Amino acid sequence: MAQCTQSSPPRKGLGRRLLDLWQTRYTRPQPGARQAVAHLTPAVVVTGGSHGIGLAIARRFAKAGQTVALVARNPGPLQEAAAAIERDFGAKAFAIDLDVTADNAPFELDARLAQHALYTDVLVNCAGVGLSGNFDGQDAGEIEQLLNLNMTALTRLMRHALPGMRARARGGVLNVASLGGLTPGPYQAAYYASKAYVISLSEAVGYETRGSGVRLSVLAPGPVDTEFHPAMGTEHAFYRQLILPLSAEQAASAAYRGYVLGCRLIVPGLLNMLFAVALRILPHTLMLPLVGWLLKPREERNWSVTNDNEQ
Ligand SMILES: NC(=O)c1ccc[n+]([C@@H]2O[C@H](COP(=O)([O-])OP(=O)(O)OC[C@H]3O[C@@H](n4cnc5c(N)ncnc54)[C@H](OP(=O)(O)O)[C@@H]3O)[C@@H](O)[C@H]2O)c1
């Protein structure tokens, strides 16, 4: 398998090259912008890249021959994930242990990338956290952490990366939101609201950057089988019992395909696409009771009592 060396461009098929040429047909990089990073390797930087959807997206880009940089807080899983990518795809993968909510995270990320002679060509903002239960019963500090990670850190990283991408007239941002961003979500109120922000921001900035040679996509998956839901304590909510989750790999394939094709909103899975259309069309007053019923956390005890009665 071909190794990505420091100065080699990412491997691209003819179709991908033609698509790139078409999407950048009216754009020209600013003078000197590409030369300024000519000694560096363009990297796909994936926050939340050590687990779940972020890792699967990083693996999908690496499979296409691109150099990836995985960003998360815990170094152990990060290094394992990077080593597995190098072993499985022969692409270069770097582990960067960094809390993206830290004040200086965008600058620290640049510095850490530069240590490996990399720069951010594609930014995948995937690190995110959920929180379930009644809003007024949730810990105020945890709500703040959620907003910091899901909205503030994502916004700051994107704001930091975009000017360079625009100047080079290449690269892009793939923000990870959620299908939940299309509706208010009782019992996950702050989480759903944070994802609505991500969709709104991405669609608006995507409009502003159209024709600039910079792609801007937002991924809105329904439930995906990762550590995310157990961590939130929602394993017994009805949506976990009734909606078949996608695998992280299925979500990542859809994300990669949608990003390469220049789609603005990417919803993986046919059923989720139908949900997305319904959520876009139907008024919130109709959807709220259904979404609330699906999301309400339920005790494990209730399920076993039901099962006992059924036997
Ligand atoms: N799973 C789903 O059903 C689903 C559905 C729709 C949308 N989403 C969205 O998809 C994204 C990823 O979800 P997932 O299911 O893959 O979650 P996950 O398996 O829990 O992975 C979360 C990742 O984010 C990293 N992370 C957390 N806090 C961080 C911080 N402050 N700085 C840097 N990295 C941090 C974690 O690593 P460390 O803990 O080591 O930092 C981990 O790599 C989230 O934005 C989520 O809202 C998930």
Side-chain angles (χ1 to χ4, degrees):
M1 217 177 298
Q3 285 278 339
C4 257
T5 59
Q6 190 165 304
S7 54
S8 67
R11 199 174 60 216
K12 285 183 182 174
L14 180 64
R16 176 79 195 273
R17 285 206 300 272
L18 287 175
L19 199 62
D20 281 352
L21 280 175
W22 173 254
Q23 288 177 342
T24 57
R25 64 196 179 282
Y26 300 126
T27 50
R28 294 286 169 273
Q30 284 173 16
R34 287 192 182 175
Q35 287 83 337
V37 292
H39 61 296
L40 303 174
T41 299
V44 179
V45 177
V46 186
T47 73
S50 62
H51 282 298
I53 299 172
L55 174 56
I57 291 176
R59 290 177 62 85
R60 186 60 194 80
F61 275 97
K63 190 177 170 191
Q66 297 197 246
T67 298
V68 295
L70 314 177
V71 182
R73 290 165 304 178
N74 296 304
L78 262 182
Q79 275 152 10
E80 276 171 33
I85 287 176
E86 295 207 345
R87 194 181 56 236
D88 295 347
F89 305 114
K92 285 275 182 200
F94 296 87
I96 298 180
D97 53 318
L98 177 70
D99 182 342
V100 294
T101 63
D103 279 350
N104 64 342
F107 297 94
E108 175 68 18
L109 180 57
D110 279 352
R112 302 280 292 277
L113 289 170
Q115 284 172 3
H116 300 294
L118 303 172
Y119 74 94
T120 305
D121 185 40
V122 177
L123 171 66
V124 181
N125 263 318
C126 189
V129 70
L131 202 54
S132 73
N134 281 319
F135 176 74
D136 59 3
Q138 289 168 350
D139 182 80
E142 285 188 44
I143 295 175
E144 203 154 310
Q145 279 170 13
L146 179 149
L147 303 180
N148 279 342
L149 179 59
N150 295 7
M151 300 198 302
T152 309
L154 172 144
T155 308
R156 292 175 69 228
L157 287 172
M158 179 164 96
R159 170 63 186 82
H160 184 77
L162 269 177
M165 293 175 179
R166 250 197 207 266
R168 294 187 289 274
R170 60 166 283 169
V173 179
L174 171 60
N175 285 329
V176 178
S178 163
L179 200 55
L182 298 174
T183 174
Y187 310 108
Q188 293 187 27
Y191 174 68
Y192 271 47
S194 73
K195 294 300 182 180
Y197 169 85
V198 175
I199 292 177
S200 175
L201 181 80
S202 307
E203 289 193 325
V205 177
Y207 182 83
E208 292 171 9
T209 54
R210 74 198 184 287
S212 67
V214 177
R215 287 186 174 85
L216 214 149
S217 299
V218 56
L219 178 71
V224 179
D225 225 353
T226 68
E227 295 164 18
F228 181 83
H229 300 280
M232 241 200 315
T234 55
E235 282 309 83
H236 303 286
F238 283 156
Y239 82 97
R240 290 295 288 152
Q241 319 292 327
L242 297 177
I243 303 175
L244 200 64
L246 293 183
S247 67
E249 289 70 28
Q250 287 172 313
S253 288
Y256 178 78
R257 198 169 43 242
Y259 173 78
V260 167
L261 291 173
C263 298
R264 193 65 53 74
L265 179 68
I266 306 164
V267 180
L270 188 61
L271 196 61
N272 290 327
M273 279 188 221
L274 295 175
F275 274 138
V277 172
L279 290 171
R280 290 276 205 197
I281 294 173
L282 296 173
H284 286 167
T285 38
L286 272 183
M287 295 310 294
L288 264 172
L290 174 64
V291 178
W293 178 78
L294 283 169
L295 296 186
K296 188 167 183 177
R298 292 164 209 271
E299 297 291 325
E300 184 176 9
R301 185 163 43 87
N302 292 346
W303 285 95
S304 50
V305 167
T306 312
N307 290 342
D308 289 343
N309 290 342
E310 279 169 359
Q311 283 164 6

